[in-house]
Amino acid sequence: MRRRANETYGRAKKEPAEENGDDGDDGQFDGGGEFQAAVRIDYNVMRTIALALIVLLLALACGKAKVTNADKPLSVPGEKVYAMHAKIVGRDAAENALTLDHQAIPGYMEAMTMDYSVRGAKIETLPPNGANIDAKLHVTEEKGIWITDVVSK
């Protein structure tokens, strides 16, 4: 004895709205189209999650290829350069920066103790803490400040 397919699964004959692709549930998950709607929603959610993961992985990959201060350009267009005379009082290897107790810089700032990122050299190769140095101070409005050409006095 043969049964019709929709009787085999306990379903009644499809309504005309279902035959046209409209399950008549107005977005509610109580009719025959609930699986299709759920798959459609899940596909969009999964696509969004996949895109977010790709962006996250790219961001992490770029973070591993981080450019250190020592590798940045020594100078940039529009900068001002000042001569600096200072004493090294500390260093930060992770930031490639020196803490300097410097004399007044005519036309720019008073004497003070301040941290400066170093470009063009690794701080491990520079004179030891307590050494008096000369350096060039580079100043820009957008790129900040840094020092180069650090030499013992």
Side-chain angles (χ1 to χ4, degrees):
M1 177 192 259
R2 291 182 75 176
R3 293 185 183 175
R4 291 193 313 194
N6 57 356
E7 290 177 353
T8 303
Y9 296 102
R11 295 185 58 180
K13 184 177 177 186
K14 288 186 177 182
E15 295 294 320
E18 289 177 323
E19 289 175 2
N20 293 332
D22 178 14
D23 58 10
D25 66 358
D26 296 322
Q28 302 297 320
F29 294 110
D30 60 354
E34 72 182 80
F35 180 73
Q36 289 177 351
V39 169
R40 191 169 36 249
I41 291 169
D42 287 343
Y43 174 75
N44 290 332
V45 169
M46 293 302 290
R47 187 172 58 184
T48 302
I49 291 171
L51 181 61
L53 286 174
I54 289 169
V55 169
L56 177 64
L57 289 174
L58 287 173
L60 290 172
C62 290
K64 291 191 184 277
K66 181 181 172 186
V67 176
T68 66
N69 286 326
D71 299 326
K72 290 181 180 178
L74 298 181
S75 62
V76 297
E79 71 182 15
K80 292 183 180 180
V81 181
Y82 300 93
M84 175 185 271
H85 309 288
K87 179 179 181 180
I88 299 175
V89 294
R91 58 189 69 221
D92 180 352
E95 293 295 321
N96 201 58
L98 292 175
T99 303
L100 301 177
D101 180 8
H102 63 81
Q103 298 173 3
I105 301 169
Y108 185 62
M109 76 169 70
E110 296 298 316
M112 65 177 65
T113 301
M114 190 169 152
D115 293 341
Y116 294 93
S117 61
V118 178
R119 293 190 183 181
K122 299 282 186 184
I123 62 166
E124 297 85 15
T125 64
L126 298 177
N129 290 356
N132 290 314
I133 60 149
D134 288 332
K136 289 183 183 174
L137 175 65
H138 301 257
V139 180
T140 67
E141 288 195 26
E142 294 178 9
K143 305 280 185 185
I145 61 174
W146 63 92
I147 60 173
T148 62
D149 302 325
V150 177
V151 293
S152 288
K153 271 172 117 172

